[in-house]
Amino acid sequence: MSIKLKTAKTTLLAFGALSLAAASAAYAGPYDEYEGTRLVVNFPAHPHYNAVMKVLPEFTKETGIEVEVDQLQYMKMRQKQTLELTKKKGDYDLLAYVVFSKADYVYADQLENLARYFMNPRLADPAYDATDLIEGYVANISIAGGTKGYLSGPTGSMFGVPFGSETSILGYRKDIFEKHGLDVPETYDDLLELACEIPKLEPGMGGLASRAASGHHASHAFLLHLAPLGGRIFDDEWNPTLNNAAGVKAAQALKTIVDCGAEGSRAFGFAEAGASFLQGRSAMFLDSTVFAGQVNDPSKSKVVGKIGWAPHPMGVRKGSQTGGFGIAIPKNAQNKEAAFLLMQWLTSKKADKLIALEGGNPSRYSTHSDAEVNAKFPHMKVFGEALKDADPDWRPIIPVWGKINADLGTTLSKILTEDADIQSSLDGVAERAKKIMQDAGYYTWN
Amino acid sequence: MKSANLNKMTPYFFIAPAGVVLALGLLYPIAYMVYASFLDWNPSQLIGEADWVGFKNYSNLWVDEAFKESMWVTLKFAFIVVSIEIVIGLGLALLLDRNIRGISALRTIFILPMMIAPIVVGLMWRYMYHPSVGIFNRTLKDLGFESIPWLSDSTWSLVSIIIADVWQWTPFIFILCLAALQSLPRSTLEAARIDGANAWQQALYIKIPLMMPVLIVTLLLRLIDAFKVLEVILVMTNGGPGLSTEIMALRISRTASEFRELGAAAAMSNYLLMMLLLLTISMFLYNKFVEQRRQKMLALAEGG
């Protein structure tokens, strides 16, 4: 279902125009040519983009460029975009893509390389400061063609800008931890021990709320543990390594967490795991930062004011996930230059802060350490620290990943619910992954 | 001579528009799907850019464990739900085929489940099966029993989706059986009664055999539906845990959208189509065979 939200046509009042012209002479120039242009953009229905919707009128007021937003459920976006991108003339001037779409869209040559725009002195804002964008996010979401084909590196180039990106973070019940004199876990050993100790201390309460449902959810939870425990899905030659010692350890960690979790945790998706934490049935939560916006909302949460945040615990290394969305300009867009101006504005320091203050997920280091943002959302500071260890390579972004991911997710579900043997199950996934990679041509050079 | 020919042709002229619509609306998409099943086609490509791979999609599926498992789940699911539904639906119809006060209101209530949108049915059952706040586990706990892992255990989750499907679709069989029962020739039943047949004998030897044609069509419709059911399971378990509830329709949808293999998804759809076609044809053949035997018996009886 698509919710069409049309931003109201903003008529510039004489007063507004005057004050703008006086306040920012720099803005008088770059946008003039595009005044009155109407951009159509595709955003997901997602907490970050809901915050963006509140800030967008500001852009129209400042630039005279109008924006029509087509907001879709985020799992539906990819199908719609795939159709749109194969058309000769697309309807969208700017679109938000889920990170794993990057590989497909770029490989099918459907996104604009942003070099041409950042080179254009009439379009590129010298004050943009791209080094302030969170490095892990840029490597994970923006760049294609670098190391392994999906990371940054000498051969990579930029096709999008992180916008609505997320990392993983540990939420915990301050009151429960205080009551029993527990320390916030910093390592995986502590985390796993605590996860199983809490149900003993607080009967009826689960240790850590984690996703575990068959498919994408179970796989996601496994990957969250795999990177910090030192594992990877593939080695540098694309041989599956998810069944090595680190992989087994990650699966064991997931199983321990689920076994010591709240009732029904074997079938938890992201929403159920979150709800279990918000309803006070689990003492910890380790997943995306996007969740943080809800914990102090009394209409959704029974644990208002009781939640503390800490970085993702480390195993043999620190590594939190990277993911979420980026925004890009389709090759078949009608108003590419105006779309770039919108993209640049939305991801600028100023808009990043405005969106963060409305409850969005900032993509810049400066926003995470901004005093005003920290005053309103004290957890932002912890998030900023955690982001320094964000791992852009925690999951491979290659076109065949969807299939391997699904297989991994169902196999893990069997491990969690049917007590299937971990080593032999993961060996099976590795073997099938190898076949998929072979068919896709990854071993051509070996 | 010429006008006679024209006369013969006239019906075809009248059928022609319908034929064209049929060809465009029905055969074209099927032909398109069959064509796509021979391609290595990902949704970012136009169909013209996809590579021709011959029967590879079909042969790959034969060695694809996940596909075989989902085929097995589908068969299990379809045969179990349809058998249970037929037994309950027919039983209810036989019980309620009488003049009870308020029967029409009762009938409306009975068919309510099949009028609810599948997504809503899925959500409703998912909440009822919820491990801690769902009504089933709360009731079990209040009565002092252990709670049941409805959707988080691979055996129970299949049972759970079967229960939900039976709840939703038994009314369909019930309503068709009731209609069939009410259109049975009263004279035959009366004759049976006069001959002293009790209620069981009437149902077993008179009503059910006479209802056979309707029952077979109903069975077929339900089987076809059960092979294609998607939304309720999608919402309730999304195929999990493991692959324990991943029926073919779900596998096809995931192959197309998650794995982005339109060719393989088309090949799976074709397997499903062939299976259903086989089922339909065999049902019709059986029906025809029964009909012929009846005619022969009648002829014999008349001859004698």
Side-chain angles (χ1 to χ4, degrees):
Chain A
M1 194 180 65
S2 93
I3 322 154
K4 288 239 171 184
L5 295 170
K6 292 188 180 170
T7 50
K9 222 177 193 179
T10 348
T11 35
L12 282 178
L13 295 171
F15 172 74
L18 275 176
S19 66
L20 258 176
S24 53
Y27 283 126
Y31 298 113
D32 282 356
E33 199 184 320
Y34 306 98
E35 207 182 316
T37 308
R38 187 174 188 85
L39 294 173
V40 182
V41 305
N42 177 210
F43 285 162
H46 176 273
H48 175 77
Y49 287 87
N50 296 341
V52 172
M53 296 306 293
K54 293 185 197 147
V55 176
L56 262 180
E58 186 72 19
F59 172 75
T60 307
K61 208 164 101 187
E62 224 172 78
T63 64
I65 300 173
E66 288 169 36
V67 185
E68 183 187 326
V69 179
D70 183 13
Q71 248 187 327
L72 296 174
Q73 201 262 331
Y74 84 94
M75 297 301 280
K76 297 269 173 286
M77 261 181 12
R78 189 147 125 134
Q79 262 169 315
K80 177 91 189 278
Q81 290 176 354
T82 300
L83 278 179
E84 278 296 326
L85 289 171
T86 41
K87 293 196 325 200
K88 273 218 164 62
K89 267 189 170 185
D91 287 338
Y92 295 140
D93 297 303
L94 187 73
L95 53 80
Y97 57 94
V98 190
V99 54
F100 45 83
S101 302
K102 174 180 89 171
D104 296 307
Y105 295 170
V106 172
Y107 193 69
D109 199 19
Q110 290 166 332
L111 298 182
E112 282 284 317
N113 188 325
L114 295 180
R116 281 179 55 219
Y117 301 88
F118 281 114
M119 282 165 79
N120 185 334
R122 286 178 218 284
L123 294 175
D125 179 357
Y128 183 67
D129 190 7
T131 52
D132 184 37
L133 291 170
I134 290 156
E135 207 184 329
Y137 286 165
V138 172
N140 183 257
I141 295 166
S142 307
I143 308 240
T147 309
K148 298 187 186 183
Y150 60 84
L151 294 169
S152 54
T155 51
S157 34
M158 197 169 188
F159 291 88
V161 182
F163 193 54
S165 343
E166 306 159 7
T167 187
S168 51
I169 197 91
L170 179 74
Y172 62 95
R173 288 280 298 275
K174 285 189 290 190
D175 53 333
I176 303 284
F177 274 58
E178 256 164 47
K179 186 173 153 193
H180 300 288
L182 304 171
D183 290 325
V184 180
E186 285 175 12
T187 67
Y188 258 81
D189 292 338
D190 294 347
L191 177 75
L192 294 178
E193 200 188 309
L194 209 55
C196 290
E197 201 181 318
I198 284 167
K200 288 177 205 150
L201 296 172
E202 288 279 328
M205 184 179 268
L208 174 74
S210 164
R211 323 184 189 193
S214 190
H216 172 70
H217 291 294
S219 164
H220 187 103
F222 168 78
L223 289 165
L224 275 182
H225 310 313
L226 183 66
L229 290 171
R232 283 279 184 257
I233 296 290
F234 300 111
D235 66 11
D236 290 340
E237 268 133 24
W238 298 111
N239 297 303
T241 54
L242 58 100
N243 56 339
N244 64 14
V248 172
K249 211 169 165 200
Q252 257 156 2
L254 177 60
K255 185 156 170 57
T256 307
I257 288 169
V258 171
D259 285 346
C260 296
E263 193 169 22
S265 55
R266 285 183 178 80
F268 277 178
F270 180 62
E272 286 90 357
S276 162
F277 188 54
L278 292 181
Q279 297 298 316
R281 288 203 197 88
S282 297
M284 292 184 282
F285 177 83
L286 179 67
D287 211 315
S288 164
T289 42
V290 70
F291 179 75
Q294 302 174 21
V295 297
N296 288 330
D297 174 356
S299 66
K300 290 178 184 157
S301 165
K302 287 188 185 164
V303 290
V304 175
K306 294 178 182 165
I307 305 302
W309 299 98
H312 193 132
M314 71 178 280
V316 297
R317 66 176 170 222
K318 287 185 174 182
S320 54
Q321 70 151 104
T322 43
F325 301 90
I327 43 178
I329 305 168
K331 270 256 159 84
N332 61 3
Q334 307 296 304
N335 303 294
K336 293 179 188 171
E337 292 181 345
F340 175 78
L341 290 173
L342 172 61
M343 172 195 250
Q344 182 174 246
W345 188 90
L346 284 173
T347 53
S348 67
K349 280 185 179 167
K350 178 185 159 188
D352 203 50
K353 180 175 163 182
L354 286 177
I355 296 166
L357 287 171
E358 293 289 352
N361 305 12
S363 305
R364 287 175 170 273
Y365 292 117
S366 60
T367 315
H368 281 92
S369 54
D370 184 274
E372 210 179 321
V373 175
N374 280 329
K376 192 165 180 190
F377 301 109
H379 59 253
M380 275 300 171
K381 205 167 181 185
V382 183
F383 290 13
E385 283 304 307
L387 275 166
K388 289 181 182 147
D389 305 310
D391 180 1
D393 197 16
W394 72 295
R395 117 186 118 184
I397 309 172
I398 54 177
V400 291
W401 174 241
K403 195 163 188 189
I404 299 170
N405 187 41
D407 183 25
L408 178 61
T410 45
T411 307
L412 285 164
S413 173
K414 282 181 189 167
I415 292 174
L416 295 176
T417 61
E418 296 166 19
D419 280 319
D421 178 59
I422 293 179
Q423 183 69 59
S424 60
S425 302
L426 291 181
D427 287 348
V429 178
E431 196 182 307
R432 292 186 291 271
K434 182 128 195 169
K435 169 86 174 49
I436 293 170
M437 297 298 278
Q438 170 95 47
D439 287 347
Y442 281 92
Y443 305 128
T444 312
W445 292 81
N446 298 12
Chain B
M1 196 64 201
K2 210 170 183 192
S3 74
N5 255 348
L6 260 180
N7 262 344
K8 256 191 213 159
M9 295 291 285
T10 315
Y12 297 103
F13 280 123
F14 285 122
I15 298 174
V20 171
V21 170
L22 189 75
L24 282 180
L26 196 72
L27 297 180
Y28 178 75
I30 293 183
Y32 201 89
M33 184 175 79
V34 172
Y35 172 62
S37 70
F38 296 115
L39 301 175
D40 178 13
W41 181 22
N42 100 40
S44 290
Q45 296 170 308
L46 298 174
I47 191 164
E49 298 164 358
D51 293 327
W52 179 269
V53 293
F55 281 94
K56 195 168 151 226
N57 287 329
Y58 289 92
S59 58
N60 275 355
L61 287 178
W62 277 114
V63 291
D64 182 350
E65 287 303 321
F67 172 73
K68 278 194 260 181
E69 191 165 343
S70 101
M71 177 88 104
W72 173 233
V73 170
T74 312
L75 287 172
K76 231 173 7 181
F77 173 79
F79 285 107
I80 297 178
V81 293
V82 174
S83 321
I84 300 180
E85 284 166 16
I86 274 276
V87 171
I88 303 182
L90 185 61
L92 275 178
L94 287 170
L95 275 178
L96 291 178
D97 175 31
R98 61 192 70 190
N99 289 323
I100 309 173
R101 191 188 288 271
I103 184 76
S104 59
L106 209 58
R107 237 177 291 164
T108 318
I109 293 173
F110 266 126
I111 61 169
L112 268 178
M114 56 184 265
M115 297 199 276
I116 305 174
I119 296 281
V120 179
V121 172
L123 279 173
M124 220 167 68
W125 280 92
R126 189 165 134 192
Y127 287 121
M128 292 202 288
Y129 284 136
H130 190 282
S132 46
V133 299
I135 184 149
F136 294 133
N137 274 358
R138 270 207 333 241
T139 313
L140 283 174
K141 239 184 246 173
D142 288 348
L143 295 175
F145 293 106
E146 279 280 300
S147 54
I148 291 175
W150 293 105
L151 297 177
S152 50
D153 174 271
S154 49
T155 318
W156 275 110
S157 64
L158 189 66
V159 173
S160 302
I161 61 169
I162 287 173
I163 294 176
D165 195 88
V166 167
W167 175 83
Q168 196 188 8
W169 288 108
T170 302
F172 174 76
I173 294 188
F174 162 68
I175 206 89
L176 287 184
C177 286
L178 197 61
L181 272 174
Q182 284 172 350
S183 65
L184 290 186
R186 294 285 137 182
S187 53
T188 325
L189 288 171
E190 212 166 297
R193 255 201 305 277
I194 290 168
D195 285 345
N198 62 26
W200 264 113
Q201 287 168 327
Q202 280 181 41
L204 220 56
Y205 299 115
I206 312 288
K207 290 180 181 171
I208 293 178
L210 282 174
M211 283 165 73
M212 239 355 161
V214 177
L215 274 182
I216 286 187
V217 173
T218 313
L219 197 71
L220 194 63
L221 283 175
R222 270 308 298 144
L223 263 183
I224 293 177
D225 243 20
F227 273 105
K228 297 187 309 180
V229 59
L230 173 70
E231 295 97 332
V232 177
I233 299 179
L234 181 82
V235 174
M236 275 172 61
T237 65
N238 196 14
L243 289 173
S244 57
T245 56
E246 184 153 303
I247 37 122
M248 282 262 267
L250 194 55
R251 183 93 202 149
I252 292 171
S253 129
R254 287 183 76 189
T255 307
S257 58
E258 250 178 72
F259 316 158
R260 295 167 65 86
E261 293 174 352
L262 297 181
M268 279 185 206
S269 311
N270 280 339
Y271 274 136
L272 187 62
L273 185 69
M274 280 187 265
M275 214 157 73
L276 289 176
L277 217 58
L278 211 69
L279 205 72
T280 315
I281 291 172
S282 54
M283 282 279 194
F284 272 118
L285 284 181
Y286 173 75
N287 218 5
K288 214 169 176 181
F289 167 73
V290 170
E291 185 66 19
Q292 263 170 2
R293 207 177 53 174
R294 208 172 62 95
Q295 299 260 326
K296 221 183 266 173
M297 298 268 270
L298 269 178
L300 270 177
E302 273 167 19

